[in-house]
Amino acid sequence: MNTMAEARLQTQKKSSQDGQETSLWSSGFGMKLEAVTPFLGKYRPFVGRCCQTCTPKSWESLFHRSIMDLGFCNVILVKEENTRFRGWLVRRLCYFLWSLEQHIPPCQDASQKIMESTGVQNVISGRAPGGAGEGQVPSHVRKEVQRILGHIQAPPRPFLLRTVVVPALEEFWAAHTSDWALLCRLFSWALLRFLNCLFLNVQLYRGQMKMVQKASQAGSPLVFLSTHKSVLDGILLPFVLLSQGVGVLRVAWDPRTCSPLLRALLKKLGGLFLPPEANLSPDSPEGVLARAVVHATVEQLLASRQPLLIFLEEPPGVRGPRLSALGLSWLGLVVQGVQAGIVPDTLLVPVAVTYDLVPEAPHDTCHALAPLGLWTGALAVLRSLRRWGCGRRVCVRVNLAQPFSLQEYIIDARSCWGSRQTLEQLLQPIVLGQCTAVPDTEKEQEWTPVTGPLLALREEDQLLVRRLSWHVLNASVASSAVMSTAIMATLLLFKHQKGVFLSQLLGEFSWLTEETLLRGFDVGFSGQLRCLVQHTLSLLRPHVALLRIQQGDLLVVPRPGPGLTSLARLSAELLPTFLSEAVGACAVRGLLAGRVPPEGPWELQGVELLSQKELYCQILLLLHLLPQDLLLLQPCQSCYCYCQEVLDRLIQCGLLVAEETRGSQPACDTGRQRLSARLLWKLSGDFTDSDSDDFEEAEGRYFRLSQQSRCPDFFLFLCRLLSPVLKAFAQAAAFLHRGRLPDTESGYTEQLFQFLRATAQEEGLFECADPNLAISAIWTFRDLGVLQQTPGPTGPMLHLSPAFASRDSQEKLGQFIRQFICS
């Protein structure tokens, strides 16, 4: 990146008064804001390869080195070149002509096939358990099936799809269309104006799209499994994939994210909604019938080879677990259809959509998002048109990971599963000082409840769906592009919370971008460094203050208060890039906590010898403490393998150096290692034996902290990346003796959140004042055995467990958490 090497900014010669806040346009940036388009260089990392352990055959297929050289395309930019025609008139009607050239398959009404499916007929005739044969009239059940089917979907309208999903200014065919179709054309035109006002561009990597297009030609249906950063994802992704020739995408919507009027429109556009009866108990007749209809709908969808989009994350603004219960239900139906032989195989495609700023994200994290409706959309259009030209439009990046075979995963992934224990079994004895040995067992932590059609699956298949979801979500996050706002928010929050000069900020922005690319993560931006930082600061304008100083430079200061909470939410997008190093740095901090004072000099900390076995154990403790929603570890990867990866990352980044003790064999000398007494080859799934051997070997290996000049700042930066969640957990431990228990989970969550907000006002820890961190702390303490859940008259009640009822036990818990925090 040649442009990233420019770290100096020309400032104006005119000086102004000290501390005077100025606008962005008069601060020495010079020209107006330029559109920032993604970097088109050759040396970007290619992200999105599938897991070689679980799906080795898929890893070899659908990929070729040549696709890494393909560039990007802006899918919302339709020009004359995108049509078959040329000319002055074509340039003004290109949207209309391009929409007519899109291939939309003929509409098929599958309601009769769903009614005649085996599962639905078994329920109607009463041959299925809990069916309708026990005194219920079959004709009434048929009407009930039609009602449930109407709640799930409506017959798609291809012409309506063409006018709404692919916006165009078409001719008024009054003789052949209804008033409703004309209204939809007007709505599509408004939607087109809205998207152009909202986004600078929507970038898609052609190499990734090439893999998906090649996979679609194999004959197996495609199921896209996506992250969920915005309510607009369900509108944006079908448009992107339709424009690339994948076809009309069926979207599994969450009814909580849209109003009833918008829900009715989305059904006509091919949207799918899970009926409420599907969440009833397994022995309920209404629940059995609804699940049979949903299952038959998915079977027809797979048999017709229509692509399906499922969101694996909860909708934005919803407080709770990261993994969506609704997404698990839809994915379970797909797995059940493949296992039943409806189709020979299905290709799963992890998808990630990233934004500079989420358009509908609230400034206050205390309030959840309101459902998206037609009236709210119209108001958003008016607000966007009002600020059109202000330059605060965001960029969007869509990443498609390598497709992999669901059938191959079902067969191969089970061999990587091992025994697991609860967090209470793993950590509670260590926290209370009852033992020091860390059990060599994986952690079992599932926060997403089993609901809907997933209830009808066997327990083994439910576990398969859960671990498949974690696997895909890990792939989606790993392929996500890091946006400029995430890098800027990380620098301002964790390195320069008291302010930084713009000239210094330019250099550090370039440094953090290069560090991101070196770790195999892509970025969703490029351009001249000055214009790029200008664009980013303009987006973060509500959260930062720009002060012009007398020397002509500019001082960038994060605004205290809720602005820091917003910056923390943005910086969380960068955490997966440095997660391994951050876990390792906090583990080293915990190892040194009992030896060296935290405020001691770096040279004093570098004197201490750190054995590899101690590092392994400390990393394991931190991995068990941190929630799975944050770590997103692959189910096929052992914690001990991840410990070695963390240690390798610390060595590669230069924080740890090997220390060769007297009389020991040099660490780089592999020629004299005695391998005769050990097997040279071991099974890849046999993690326990190989890792225990590594632990025995690790006893004689030692490391020291590097004494390079850049290491102290980088070590502190890595530790601070995990500080929001660790400090929130520490404050939750301190709140145990203050909280009013017993209480409901929602009530105690509100108590803890108010305590986090009060502490933020007193101590300035605004990055911890997040309701999701409060929920995460309570659920972690519940798994750890600090809080226990008992049934109550108004629902489950939380109360302190006997093991942590004393202040001494609570103080031990707080000390255990605080050892990983670097002040």
Side-chain angles (χ1 to χ4, degrees):
M1 298 177 63
N2 296 330
T3 57
M4 285 302 174
E6 301 175 8
R8 294 185 178 179
L9 176 67
Q10 297 179 356
T11 56
Q12 291 182 345
K13 296 182 179 179
K14 297 181 180 180
S15 60
S16 61
Q17 297 179 358
D18 248 342
Q20 179 182 1
E21 183 171 353
T22 181
S23 66
L24 190 61
W25 314 118
S26 61
S27 60
F29 281 103
M31 61 186 69
K32 282 188 175 181
L33 174 65
E34 296 179 1
V36 180
T37 56
F39 178 57
L40 305 181
K42 297 181 179 179
Y43 303 106
R44 305 184 75 121
F46 187 85
V47 296
R49 298 298 301 272
C50 63
C51 180
Q52 195 173 7
T53 302
C54 300
T55 53
K57 295 180 181 179
S58 301
W59 189 84
E60 296 176 357
S61 63
L62 305 175
F63 177 79
H64 193 271
R65 291 289 178 184
S66 61
I67 67 177
M68 298 175 61
D69 298 331
L70 300 177
F72 291 83
C73 64
N74 183 7
V75 294
I76 64 172
L77 180 62
V78 178
K79 296 182 178 180
E80 177 185 2
E81 292 77 11
N82 300 109
T83 67
R84 296 178 298 167
F85 310 98
R86 298 293 181 269
W88 173 84
L89 186 60
V90 173
R91 284 193 291 272
R92 282 147 182 81
L93 298 177
C94 56
Y95 281 101
F96 166 63
L97 297 174
W98 178 78
S99 66
L100 293 181
E101 294 176 359
Q102 299 305 305
H103 173 67
I104 297 180
C107 174
Q108 297 179 357
D109 189 3
S111 58
Q112 187 62 31
K113 293 182 180 179
I114 293 174
M115 181 70 70
E116 296 173 357
S117 65
T118 305
V120 175
Q121 287 297 320
N122 286 340
V123 175
I124 293 177
S125 60
R127 289 195 295 265
E134 303 170 359
Q136 193 171 6
V137 182
S139 60
H140 294 171
V141 181
R142 290 180 180 274
K143 294 180 180 179
E144 184 70 11
V145 171
Q146 293 290 348
R147 186 191 67 80
I148 295 174
L149 190 58
H151 188 97
I152 298 173
Q153 65 177 359
R157 308 299 173 94
F159 198 74
L160 191 60
L161 279 168
R162 180 174 294 171
T163 56
V164 177
V165 179
V166 187
L169 299 176
E170 303 184 9
E171 297 179 1
F172 294 95
W173 294 332
H176 304 283
T177 59
S178 62
D179 294 338
W180 173 249
L182 178 60
L183 179 62
C184 289
R185 289 185 178 85
L186 295 176
F187 175 75
S188 68
W189 178 84
L191 180 62
L192 173 63
R193 301 294 299 174
F194 170 65
L195 292 178
N196 278 275
C197 294
L198 201 59
F199 302 134
L200 275 174
N201 47 52
V202 178
Q203 296 292 334
L204 177 67
Y205 189 26
R206 290 193 178 97
Q208 295 174 345
M209 195 65 237
K210 190 76 172 179
M211 291 191 302
V212 175
Q213 290 173 344
K214 186 177 179 180
S216 63
Q217 299 171 1
S220 298
L222 296 178
V223 177
F224 296 88
L225 304 172
S226 175
T227 58
H228 206 359
K229 303 300 180 185
S230 169
V231 181
L232 296 176
D233 293 344
I235 300 175
L236 187 62
L237 283 174
F239 170 78
V240 170
L241 295 172
L242 180 64
S243 66
Q244 302 301 311
V246 176
V248 178
L249 199 63
R250 306 296 298 274
V251 183
W253 285 88
D254 192 325
R256 295 173 295 176
T257 61
C258 45
S259 65
L261 185 59
L262 181 60
R263 196 181 310 157
L265 176 61
L266 292 175
K267 287 180 187 178
K268 294 182 180 297
L269 299 174
L272 300 173
F273 292 86
L274 199 66
E277 296 85 355
N279 294 318
L280 298 177
S281 59
D283 55 351
S284 170
E286 294 83 2
V288 172
L289 180 61
R291 282 189 286 271
V293 175
V294 174
H295 184 66
T297 303
V298 174
E299 286 182 352
Q300 292 299 322
L301 197 67
L302 296 175
S304 60
R305 303 298 193 272
Q306 296 183 59
L308 174 65
L309 173 62
I310 300 173
F311 293 107
L312 289 182
E313 288 183 324
E314 284 287 354
V318 175
R319 302 179 185 179
R322 183 171 188 175
L323 200 61
S324 169
L326 184 64
L328 283 178
S329 299
W330 286 107
L331 183 57
L333 291 169
V334 174
V335 172
Q336 195 173 4
V338 172
Q339 289 179 332
I342 303 301
V343 289
D345 196 7
T346 298
L347 293 178
L348 305 182
V349 186
V351 183
V353 184
T354 49
Y355 301 81
D356 280 336
L357 286 179
V358 177
E360 75 278 6
H363 294 292
D364 188 2
T365 57
C366 308
H367 299 91
L369 293 177
L372 183 64
L374 295 180
W375 287 111
T376 56
L379 292 177
V381 170
L382 294 177
R383 286 196 300 266
S384 299
L385 289 176
R386 186 183 63 180
R387 67 170 184 259
W388 192 25
C390 297
R392 291 187 57 192
R393 293 182 293 167
V394 302
C395 301
V396 186
R397 175 75 175 273
V398 179
N399 282 93
L400 304 172
Q402 184 179 9
F404 64 93
S405 166
L406 175 58
Q407 192 69 261
E408 182 185 9
Y409 181 85
I410 293 175
I411 296 173
D412 295 345
R414 298 180 190 268
S415 61
C416 301
W417 296 356
S419 60
R420 293 173 179 259
Q421 291 183 354
T422 64
L423 189 61
E424 182 177 356
Q425 296 171 327
L426 291 172
L427 274 191
Q428 189 182 101
I430 299 175
V431 171
L432 296 177
Q434 299 172 356
C435 73
T436 57
V438 184
D440 57 346
T441 312
E442 305 298 315
K443 176 180 66 174
E444 182 66 35
Q445 188 178 56
E446 296 293 348
W447 289 349
T448 305
V450 178
T451 58
L454 207 60
L455 292 169
L457 297 181
R458 299 176 302 172
E459 186 176 352
E460 183 181 4
D461 292 333
Q462 291 179 11
L463 184 60
L464 171 69
V465 174
R466 284 181 177 276
R467 297 193 174 179
L468 174 60
S469 301
W470 285 118
H471 212 296
V472 175
L473 192 56
N474 175 278
S476 299
V477 172
S479 62
S480 299
V482 179
M483 308 304 284
S484 60
T485 49
I487 292 181
M488 183 66 70
T490 303
L491 290 173
L492 295 177
L493 183 64
F494 298 124
K495 293 200 71 175
H496 305 291
Q497 201 168 126
K498 295 183 179 180
V500 58
F501 291 114
L502 185 59
S503 55
Q504 181 183 356
L505 186 60
L506 288 171
E508 295 198 355
F509 188 94
S510 175
W511 160 77
L512 195 52
T513 300
E514 292 174 358
E515 292 290 337
T516 301
L517 294 172
L518 286 174
R519 282 160 177 78
F521 284 78
D522 201 1
V523 294
F525 57 87
S526 80
Q528 292 184 354
L529 183 59
R530 185 190 337 185
C531 297
L532 180 59
V533 172
Q534 176 184 354
H535 167 70
T536 307
L537 290 177
S538 68
L539 294 176
L540 299 179
R541 196 68 175 89
H543 314 310
V544 298
L546 304 177
L547 306 174
R548 190 189 303 175
I549 61 176
Q550 189 171 1
Q551 289 79 7
D553 205 343
L554 198 68
L555 184 65
V556 183
V557 183
R559 297 182 186 272
L564 293 179
T565 308
S566 300
L567 292 180
R569 192 169 60 249
L570 289 172
S571 65
E573 301 296 327
L574 187 65
L575 180 59
T577 307
F578 295 90
L579 183 59
S580 298
E581 290 97 327
V583 169
C586 291
V588 171
R589 176 62 263 164
L591 197 57
L592 293 174
R595 306 181 186 180
V596 183
E599 64 275 3
W602 181 260
E603 292 78 9
L604 182 60
Q605 300 184 25
V607 174
E608 294 293 326
L609 280 178
L610 309 174
S611 71
Q612 184 169 333
K613 184 177 181 180
E614 291 175 331
L615 286 170
Y616 273 171
C617 294
Q618 202 69 16
I619 293 171
L620 271 178
L621 291 178
L622 184 55
L623 288 178
H624 291 331
L625 176 64
L626 294 175
Q628 174 68 7
D629 283 7
L630 177 69
L631 294 173
L632 290 180
L633 296 181
Q634 292 181 345
C636 62
Q637 185 181 23
S638 166
C639 278
Y640 294 98
C641 293
Y642 190 75
C643 287
Q644 185 59 50
E645 179 184 339
V646 169
L647 191 58
D648 292 342
R649 290 290 187 92
L650 292 179
I651 296 173
Q652 290 171 4
C653 68
L655 284 179
L656 287 183
V657 292
E659 178 68 19
E660 297 173 1
T661 58
R662 183 175 301 177
S664 65
Q665 180 180 342
C668 60
D669 186 6
T670 60
R672 298 184 180 182
Q673 291 183 1
R674 303 178 62 182
L675 302 175
S676 58
R678 301 179 55 193
L679 294 175
L680 294 178
W681 298 96
K682 294 188 177 183
L683 294 176
S684 61
D686 189 9
F687 295 118
T688 306
D689 293 339
S690 59
D691 291 332
S692 60
D693 292 339
D694 291 340
F695 263 46
E696 294 174 2
E697 282 188 2
E699 292 183 1
R701 298 176 186 169
Y702 292 88
F703 299 90
R704 292 184 190 272
L705 287 174
S706 175
Q707 296 301 309
Q708 297 181 17
S709 59
R710 67 175 184 87
C711 288
D713 290 339
F714 189 51
F715 181 82
L716 187 61
F717 169 75
L718 292 175
C719 290
R720 286 176 175 173
L721 290 178
L722 287 175
S723 62
V725 59
L726 291 176
K727 289 180 179 179
F729 282 15
Q731 294 182 38
F735 183 69
L736 288 175
H737 70 279
R738 303 184 185 183
R740 297 182 299 274
L741 288 174
D743 195 358
T744 61
E745 184 178 292
S746 59
Y748 191 67
T749 301
E750 185 62 26
Q751 288 186 49
L752 178 58
F753 177 58
Q754 294 301 328
F755 175 74
L756 293 178
R757 296 185 67 183
T759 307
Q761 295 291 340
E762 296 173 2
E763 303 179 9
L765 302 176
F766 291 97
E767 63 270 20
C768 304
D770 193 324
N772 290 322
L773 290 180
I775 295 174
S776 181
I778 290 176
W779 288 352
T780 301
F781 285 3
R782 185 186 60 191
D783 295 343
L784 185 56
V786 179
L787 299 172
Q788 290 182 347
Q789 204 170 40
T790 57
T794 59
M797 304 292 290
L798 290 177
H799 63 88
L800 271 175
S801 66
F804 289 89
S806 64
R807 291 289 298 272
D808 182 58
S809 299
Q810 298 172 13
E811 183 60 29
K812 288 180 180 179
L813 175 63
Q815 290 178 358
F816 177 79
I817 298 172
R818 288 194 298 270
Q819 67 175 328
F820 301 109
I821 301 175
C822 190
S823 58

